[in-house]
Amino acid sequence: MKVLHVCSELFPLLKTGGLADVTGALPPVLSKLGCDSRVLLPGFPAFMKGIENLQLLIELPAKFGASKIQILSGTIPNTEIKAYVIDATGLFDRDGNPYSDSNNIPYADNYRRFALLGWVAARIAEGIDSEWLPEVVHGHDWHAGLAAAYIKASEIYNGKKLAGTILTVHNLAYQGVFPAHVFHELELPGYFFNVHGLEFFGQLSLLKAGLFFSDKLTTVSPTYAKEIQSNEQGCGLSGLLGSRAHDLVGILNGVDPEVWNPVSDKLLIANYSAKSIANKAKCKITLQEYTGLKVQSDFPLFTIVSRLTEQKGLHLVVEGIYEIIKRGGQVAILGSGEAEIEQAFVKIAAKHPDSVAVQLGYDEDHAHRLVAGADVILVPSRFEPCGLTQLYGMIYGTLPLVHKVGGLADTVNDVSLENLAEEKATGFVFNEFNIVEFNAAVRRAFALFSRKTEWKKTQKIAMLQDLTWDAAAKKYFELYQQVSN
Ligand code: ADP
Ligand code: GLC
């Protein structure tokens, strides 16, 4: 089975969030099932530099504002996975974030940049690589939404079926919406600009293109798959998603043990496992020293490793943090995003340096130190398609405290008496998104922390959850078989 993944981020080369973790982890696991996966990437500097042995495959006619377009092929470091990289002079060779300039303003020509990504996917599906023809094109998020549209356009024009298509929605809130007047630049059939097509309330939506034209749709948890069919969480697309309910499946993300594993994580001062967890205490002390927090062991240390955006529900923490401090707990935060949330945490940390530490920015190494050294990881998201940090927390014996929504609802079991009795509890779950419920969950965390035996038992249960990618890879593989016929 030959599958082309189309995406804009890939760990470890370029990452702004969990999307990169998924696109980095999934293809190698699929290989183990006999699935020959390749990846198509825009020629961002990180990929031009990081993909190994890049060689010219073919030069394509210049378009979408690029003065020259070359398709290169190479290998993702430390894997046998092949990558195609689009070297498009003027479109991708820009520093910083893949989507925005240094002031965080989205690039005005994003529709052209990601049109090119989808357009090249269709050319690969037509066979520009004489040695490798995908049977399935698997797009990730709005950046890849047009791949299915270009494939459909080619099939209609040439009367020949190409690869089956799948779109995975990692986050419905990001849609790639652009003004209608740029539609003609996309070189798609005019009638594609239609409510039965990629028209979206008078504009054009790259995500909708993918949702409409792909053979099958997936998202990253079963609960989110249901939620996005509702008006409240459908981001204007619930009607389309509801009408495609039979083609939409929720497949939970996993954890890559090569990257997130307390047994072998080289970024930790000491390694530990579910069987022998004593060294986790060393990680906590080192973290307290590193962040300037008071070194203490009697109270829980909470952490946040997150994009600081509205989605992540962090204003509950800004409000609820005093409940934690009052009880002797500590909070260590790593994140970057909206200035208002950043400044709120910075201010609290300045007032309570023994109890609260904040590091702004993106720091992979510190993320590992926090996940290992803390006792509880806070993920109170308003909505969460899957969420990976709560999974990393579990694997590291750092119990997640989460809002019961999306993938968080699917992956964390509250420490209710019945869950404790049945040895199912893995964290602290609050149902309604409000401060009263958040604070109650925080109090449950303190209560459990003071009962050492039960705390350790819950840690162990969390650490022993099967969170690998194997189950997900099998489900994707089944879908590939369905759409490739
Ligand atoms: P999302 O993709 O919505 O941001 P996920 O929980 O799926 O949420 O994935 C977030 C990923 O990004 C995790 O791998 C997490 O460790 C990482 N991450 C988030 N913020 C930072 C940061 N400031 N520094 C380092 N890693 C971060
Ligand atoms: C998105 C979602 C997150 C998910 C990640 C990987 O960024 O916000 O919930 O875990 O994609 O699928």
Side-chain angles (χ1 to χ4, degrees), residues 17-19 22 170-171 220 253 307 311-312 384-388:
L19 169 66
V22 175
H170 293 266
N171 195 333
V220 286
N253 289 331
R307 291 184 293 115
Q311 171 190 347
K312 300 295 177 180
E384 195 62 76
C386 177
L388 291 169

Side-chain angles (χ1 to χ4, degrees), residues 57-98:
L57 173 73
I58 190 170
E59 179 153 346
L60 295 173
K63 53 171 64 232
F64 300 128
S67 56
K68 185 172 179 181
I69 299 176
Q70 293 191 327
I71 309 304
L72 313 176
S73 76
T75 310
I76 299 172
N78 303 317
T79 73
E80 297 191 344
I81 306 293
K82 297 261 180 283
Y84 298 101
V85 181
I86 309 169
D87 184 9
T89 315
L91 282 194
F92 301 130
D93 43 353
R94 304 171 190 175
D95 288 338
N97 184 303

Side-chain angles (χ1 to χ4, degrees), residues 220-221 223-224 227 252 384-387 390 405-412:
V220 286
S221 69
T223 294
Y224 192 62
E227 289 169 349
L252 268 181
E384 195 62 76
C386 177
Q390 84 279 12
V405 75
L408 301 172
D410 291 338
T411 54
V412 185

Side-chain angles (χ1 to χ4, degrees), residues 217-297:
L217 309 174
T218 78
T219 188
V220 286
S221 69
T223 294
Y224 192 62
K226 280 191 217 130
E227 289 169 349
I228 56 178
Q229 294 177 51
S230 71
N231 272 338
E232 300 75 48
Q233 291 221 47
C235 304
L237 289 161
S238 56
L240 172 58
L241 288 162
S243 74
R244 300 218 54 195
H246 289 299
D247 294 321
L248 169 63
V249 40
I251 301 177
L252 268 181
N253 289 331
V255 174
D256 184 348
E258 299 283 322
V259 184
W260 290 97
N261 187 349
V263 176
S264 53
D265 191 333
K266 293 202 172 61
L267 298 165
L268 308 187
I269 185 84
N271 292 108
Y272 58 92
S273 66
K275 261 196 191 151
S276 161
I277 203 171
N279 275 346
K280 187 168 166 60
K282 285 191 193 156
C283 296
K284 180 167 176 178
I285 294 172
T286 311
L287 177 62
Q288 287 165 326
E289 286 169 352
Y290 179 84
T291 51
L293 291 172
K294 187 173 157 204
V295 176
Q296 60 176 31
S297 61

Side-chain angles (χ1 to χ4, degrees), residues 140-278:
H140 296 268
D141 271 352
W142 70 266
H143 327 113
L146 285 176
Y150 285 114
I151 287 174
K152 186 63 77 188
S154 164
E155 288 177 344
I156 293 168
Y157 188 76
N158 296 311
K160 190 177 157 220
K161 174 92 182 88
L162 303 179
T165 47
I166 292 181
L167 183 79
T168 294
V169 178
H170 293 266
N171 195 333
L172 196 72
Y174 298 92
Q175 303 192 346
V177 175
F178 301 96
H181 67 81
V182 305
F183 174 75
H184 72 278
E185 292 185 53
L186 302 184
E187 300 180 17
L188 283 165
Y191 64 92
F192 277 24
F193 188 75
N194 188 284
V195 64
H196 302 294
L198 48 73
E199 187 266 345
F200 183 65
F201 297 105
Q203 297 189 286
L204 66 89
S205 159
L206 270 57
L207 182 65
K208 190 180 168 202
L211 296 178
F212 186 83
F213 290 108
S214 299
D215 297 326
K216 292 274 180 196
L217 309 174
T218 78
T219 188
V220 286
S221 69
T223 294
Y224 192 62
K226 280 191 217 130
E227 289 169 349
I228 56 178
Q229 294 177 51
S230 71
N231 272 338
E232 300 75 48
Q233 291 221 47
C235 304
L237 289 161
S238 56
L240 172 58
L241 288 162
S243 74
R244 300 218 54 195
H246 289 299
D247 294 321
L248 169 63
V249 40
I251 301 177
L252 268 181
N253 289 331
V255 174
D256 184 348
E258 299 283 322
V259 184
W260 290 97
N261 187 349
V263 176
S264 53
D265 191 333
K266 293 202 172 61
L267 298 165
L268 308 187
I269 185 84
N271 292 108
Y272 58 92
S273 66
K275 261 196 191 151
S276 161
I277 203 171

